[in-house]
Amino acid sequence: QRAWRAFCQKLAKRGVERAAHEGPRDYAARAARAIPAARTSILRIGALYIGLRYGAQPSAGGATRLRKLGREL
């Protein structure tokens, strides 16, 4: 959760704030449209978060990767 919040804060600083009603898939898609240069990374982070948060078997390796990708954005 912390990595996702940090990712959202980073995007907000770039002008793409997450709406309270907006889920991770919709937010990532909107952010990718707003920041085309980071499109691939944003969509990858969104998909990874969804898998970790809502998937059947979240992994510690996935959480580490999410944090790493968020820092690189």
Side-chain angles (χ1 to χ4, degrees):
Q1 288 288 1
R2 222 179 353 225
W4 177 253
R5 283 192 302 272
F7 170 70
C8 293
Q9 289 171 349
K10 190 175 276 195
L11 290 178
K13 287 179 184 176
R14 294 174 80 172
V16 186
E17 291 190 47
R18 184 176 165 266
H21 68 277
E22 199 167 30
R25 183 183 346 217
D26 291 335
Y27 179 54
R30 185 169 62 83
R33 287 191 304 274
I35 310 171
R39 179 183 187 278
T40 301
S41 295
I42 291 169
L43 293 175
R44 184 175 295 138
I45 291 167
L48 182 57
Y49 174 74
I50 290 166
L52 289 168
R53 179 77 170 99
Y54 303 103
Q57 295 184 351
S59 70
T64 300
R65 181 152 170 75
L66 179 63
R67 284 190 297 276
K68 182 178 184 287
L69 289 171
R71 282 192 305 269
E72 292 173 356
L73 180 65

